[in-house]
Amino acid sequence: MSDPILSLQAVHTDIAQYHILQGVDLEVPRGQVTMLLGRNGVGKTTTLKTIMGQWTAKSGKILYDGQDITRLPVSARARGGIGFVPEDMGIFSDLTVEENMLLGCTSGPLDSARKEWLLGAFPALGTFWNSEAGNLSGGQKQMLSIARAMAEDRQLYLIDEPTKGLAPAIVSTMAQALRELKGQGASILLVEQNFSVARALGDSAAVMDDGRVIWTGPMAELAENKDLQERLMGLSMEAH
Amino acid sequence: MTAAPDHRPNFASVSLAERLDGALPVLLVPVLVVFGFFAIGVPSSWLTLTVSGLAMGMMIFIMASGLTLVFGLMDVINFGHGAFISVGAFVGVSVLIALGEWTGAASLLLNMSAVFLAVVAAMTVTGALGWGFERIIVKPVYGAHLKQILVTVGGLIVIEQLIHVIWGPDEIFFNRPETLKGAVTFAGAAMEKYRLLAVAVGLALFIAMRMVLRRTKIGLIVRAGVENGPMVEALGYRLRLVFVGVFIAGSALAGLGGVMWGLYQEVITAGMGEKMMVLVFIVAIIGGLGSVEGAFIGALLVGLMQNYVAFLEPKLALVSNIALMTAILMWRPQGMLPVVKAK
């Protein structure tokens, strides 16, 4: 197997007086979709934010493309090729859809071929291109958040619960776009509670509990083994 | 590929009343102007007072625009802003005095050249001062409002004392350039030439700021940063650099405002900026902290209100702007055009 695009080694993160990440070890292989799974409150979102630099790792090491980025500022990590879709979507409500998309391009204007692809994947964004993003529906905002992260070619995408609370039809749109992104060779670390999406997209999985990664392996192995799911996450994923 | 579902967007549910609600603050200025017309009764007086109010409003806007941007983007309450107004006035007036032959000549070209150089000098010095102020005084207290108030007030006092050291403790009287003296008459109303210039400068600045904020990438980053700074950084932009740039620009605008206000009053003191800060804060608050458009409308309302009330009932002039702020905050507690804060 080639070098992983991302590697976390014994990463600890505190938020105020709380010790959230307690030695996370994780590898994200190149060109694959890695699902980060686990119950609520086990540290999945904190892991993504620590990789992105929004929370600073107290100790441990984060290697991205072979480089130690543990102490790099957030913007340097993003410019290095990490795209981030936070759980709250981070949409700029006062800006138009177009302006939100332009902010996703740090190195120049939005490439026309890229725009065409994104509007093909998310047609609703084209319809409301010049409208304020704050007036979009929840699903459209989620599409915008993901499309904005994809506005430039990036090596690694950190995506936090992109299908949360969305209608099945939009979930399917979202999953298709992520599949296409994967098809372009991007690496994705995806926090996802929707089991069918996780099973359909995931190549590998890492399960977290209590601030640590307690299991890693192929997604298919986890998907097929209900006992393993219940042991790791306290429930069968089929129920979701 | 799966097409996006054809579900109804929220736009459909935005009622006419909600759309009008967004435009209401903009309508307040013409409403106040019309109210002033009927309250004053004499068209020529009303026109003179309106131009005077607009000029005052524009100058307050120049001073307030930097403050509101700094607060909106950086969440910094900067009482030291008043010091930049004073320093701008002193530097600008020093240049004007040094160019006495130009300002004393009855030549529009020489007069405006002198004013231009005074403005450039004032903005350069206050911009540089703002950079140092941000590095030394503001940077250590990001995120701590109480400390910001204490240290920026401290910075204000120190700079005021430094003005006394450099320019002496006395107020400085001076004359406007020759071609900016006097008034023009229109429809029986006398309008000071300088006030017309102030209106033009303020309007040009507002349009320029809107263009920068709405049409450029840096403006886009600033507007996004006001709403959600951490996300802007997560997209790859060094917001810290933008912070510093906005602080420098805000300080330079305060310097410009200081020169304009000094020329308006024809006297400058070290405490002039501090005194202006009451009006500047009123404008920034009623406009909606972080909103340039809100500050513009707020400044015009304050300028017009002050002039109309001073004419109609002089004793009420001092409280009129506080009353205006109270009324607007009761109507819209976040100010007229609040900037969404996602953080």
Side-chain angles (χ1 to χ4, degrees), chain A residues 47-69:
Chain A
T47 300
L48 293 197
K49 288 190 169 184
T50 303
I51 296 167
M52 200 63 220
Q54 290 190 331
W55 293 117
T56 306
K58 186 176 70 173
S59 64
K61 197 179 272 190
I62 303 170
L63 298 174
Y64 166 67
D65 204 15
Q67 305 288 316
D68 187 351
I69 62 165

Side-chain angles (χ1 to χ4, degrees), chain B residues 156-177:
Chain B
L156 169 72
I157 294 167
V158 169
I159 293 174
E160 278 185 5
Q161 293 308 308
L162 286 173
I163 291 174
H164 287 310
V165 171
I166 297 168
W167 281 281
D170 300 326
E171 52 197 8
I172 297 174
F173 293 89
F174 64 100
N175 291 319
R176 276 181 217 148

Side-chain angles (χ1 to χ4, degrees), chain A residues 150-211:
Chain A
M150 296 178 185
E152 271 184 344
D153 198 16
R154 297 179 189 266
Q155 288 197 77
L156 172 66
Y157 293 85
L158 311 174
I159 304 176
D160 199 352
E161 301 211 35
T163 64
K164 187 179 176 183
L166 300 186
I170 306 178
V171 170
S172 137
T173 302
M174 211 70 77
Q176 176 61 25
L178 293 176
R179 201 172 289 120
E180 288 182 28
L181 187 65
K182 177 185 164 187
Q184 294 179 357
S187 312
I188 303 172
L189 178 60
L190 181 61
V191 172
E192 182 55 70
Q193 303 279 18
N194 183 318
F195 179 60
S196 61
V197 173
R199 185 168 55 183
L201 289 176
D203 298 302
S204 58
V207 180
M208 290 188 72
D209 193 24
D210 213 11

Side-chain angles (χ1 to χ4, degrees), chain B residues 17-32:
Chain B
E18 284 172 308
R19 286 168 197 237
L20 277 179
D21 192 49
L24 277 180
V26 182
L27 296 175
L28 281 180
V29 175
V31 166
L32 183 58

Side-chain angles (χ1 to χ4, degrees), chain B residues 20 25 27 35 91 99-100 179 229-230 248 312 322 339:
Chain B
L20 277 179
L27 296 175
F35 173 79
V91 171
L99 296 173
T179 52
I248 291 172
L312 293 166
I322 300 291
V339 174

Side-chain angles (χ1 to χ4, degrees), chain B residues 45-57 190-192 195-196 199 264 304 307-308:
Chain B
S45 300
W46 166 80
L47 188 55
T48 301
L49 289 168
T50 301
V51 171
S52 178
L54 290 175
M56 184 180 174
M191 292 173 285
E192 278 191 42
R195 290 178 181 178
L196 293 173
V199 171
Y264 183 59
L304 289 167
N307 277 271
Y308 290 158

